[in-house]
Amino acid sequence: MNNIISAIYEFIFVITLGSGITLVAAEFKLVAAKQAAQGSANLTIFTEKMTGESLDLSEKRVYGKKVKLKQGVTYK
């Protein structure tokens, strides 16, 4: 009987610990997603890979001017 009660307590402990870790990870992901949506320059490479977002540092966005395209050159 003692073994059953002990196993139940261990199961509840593992579930609680796992839920806590998952909740903390979700909060980190939410903060990173909000920061990526704002276009912050403080994104790390890891955050960019995790959120799928990257900063648009093109000439047009940064300086507000159009870039003259050269003939024969392909741009991504």
Side-chain angles (χ1 to χ4, degrees):
M1 186 67 180
N2 248 354
N3 289 340
I4 295 172
I5 294 173
S6 177
I8 291 172
Y9 283 138
E10 286 182 24
F11 179 73
I12 291 171
F13 175 74
V14 168
I15 293 296
T16 305
L17 186 64
S19 299
I21 291 171
T22 304
L23 182 63
V24 169
E27 289 296 322
F28 279 120
K29 186 175 179 182
L30 179 63
V31 169
K34 284 182 180 180
Q35 191 176 21
Q38 292 174 356
S40 171
N42 297 328
L43 291 178
T44 63
I45 294 171
F46 173 75
T47 305
E48 287 180 2
K49 288 180 181 177
M50 185 174 71
T51 60
E53 297 285 333
S54 62
L55 297 176
D56 180 16
L57 297 177
S58 65
E59 293 284 321
K60 183 177 179 183
R61 181 187 173 279
V62 174
Y63 300 109
K65 60 184 176 182
K66 293 184 180 180
V67 177
K68 186 176 180 182
L69 299 178
K70 297 178 183 177
Q71 289 184 342
V73 179
T74 57
Y75 295 92
K76 290 184 178 181

